[in-house]
Amino acid sequence: MNIGVFLSAADLSEQYTEPAREFGKLLGAGGHTLVWGGSDVGLMKVLADSVQEAGGRLVGVSVEFLQAKARAGADEMIVTPDLARRKAELLRLSDALVVMVGGTGTLDEATEILELKKHGLHAKPVVLLNSAGFYDGLELQLRRMDAEGFLPLPLSQLVYVAQDGADALAYLQEQL
Ligand SMILES: C/C(=C\CNc1ncnc2c1ncn2[C@@H]1O[C@H](COP(=O)(O)O)[C@@H](O)[C@H]1O)CO
């Protein structure tokens, strides 16, 4: 499976690096390909290192203004002219999407793929990987949108909230 993962480009503490390492190990050991933003920085690097060490493939989708940060040893590296085309490529190349902990960049990517899914422009499974309870607040907000009629389709069809990497991967394998 080609699994697109959005996650932080920042250097973070063990409570976030450990779940990224664990998920990378599962992806690599399962023979999956990581499709990700391509930069060799922060949590993005932690995940890519782990996937590669466990035998998985790496397909990066970088963008011209961040090209200097792109990982040298990826199996493939695509460079897009701008962020909009990068998000489109990340989605096109992925069979499923996983949103790990992150900041505004991750949130931008997550909302775009959820919005496209809401409009029926793709039907790929999306998982919110709630490591260390990072997305408890977002999950609550999404549940409120669902309960109060803000979503045109049930939340359960839009996104699955996983508590750990094994849960996320099991869900994706069941869906695909
Ligand atoms: C560390 C610096 C630059 C490298 N930054 C990024 N490299 C690659 N991809 C990035 C970068 N910043 C955002 N992205 C994309 O958004 C997500 C991470 O953003 P967040 O705000 O850190 O959550 C990630 O999925 C990328 O696709 C500065 O020198």
Side-chain angles (χ1 to χ4, degrees):
M1 225 189 302
N2 283 358
I3 303 186
V5 182
F6 307 135
L7 79 171
S8 178
D11 292 319
L12 297 165
S13 66
E14 190 67 13
Q15 68 170 328
Y16 300 120
T17 54
E18 184 48 37
R21 254 185 240 109
E22 179 203 302
F23 191 51
K25 203 169 164 181
L26 287 172
L27 294 186
H32 300 293
T33 294
L34 170 69
V35 180
W36 93 124
S39 285
D40 216 20
V41 297
L43 217 53
M44 297 175 73
K45 173 176 168 50
V46 172
L47 177 67
D49 285 348
S50 177
V51 170
Q52 206 163 43
E53 275 163 32
R57 290 185 75 247
L58 300 180
V59 175
V61 185
S62 189
V63 59
E64 278 173 12
F65 72 88
L66 288 174
Q67 202 175 348
K69 305 273 180 195
R71 186 180 179 98
D75 296 283
E76 281 179 56
M77 186 63 67
I78 293 154
V79 183
T80 65
D82 54 54
L83 288 174
R85 273 173 275 192
R86 182 203 215 184
K87 283 184 281 187
E89 273 302 282
L90 284 162
L91 176 59
R92 188 181 69 80
L93 293 168
S94 303
D95 301 313
L97 291 312
V98 176
V99 181
M100 295 192 74
V101 299
T104 53
T106 302
L107 207 52
D108 172 51
E109 293 165 333
T111 49
E112 172 133 348
I113 54 153
L114 290 176
E115 187 62 7
L116 291 171
K117 190 170 180 181
K118 186 185 92 175
H119 290 295
L121 296 172
H122 77 87
K124 300 181 182 187
V126 180
V127 171
L128 191 61
L129 181 33
N130 190 23
S131 306
F134 184 78
Y135 285 123
D136 285 351
L138 181 57
E139 184 183 8
L140 195 66
Q141 192 65 50
L142 289 168
R143 286 189 188 284
R144 181 168 180 170
M145 289 178 196
D146 191 24
E148 297 184 10
F150 287 85
L151 303 177
L153 75 175
L155 183 58
S156 59
Q157 286 177 28
L158 198 59
V159 62
Y160 175 76
V161 182
Q163 297 310 321
D164 58 34
D167 182 13
L169 202 52
Y171 171 78
L172 295 182
Q173 276 162 340
E174 183 190 294
Q175 295 295 307
L176 291 167

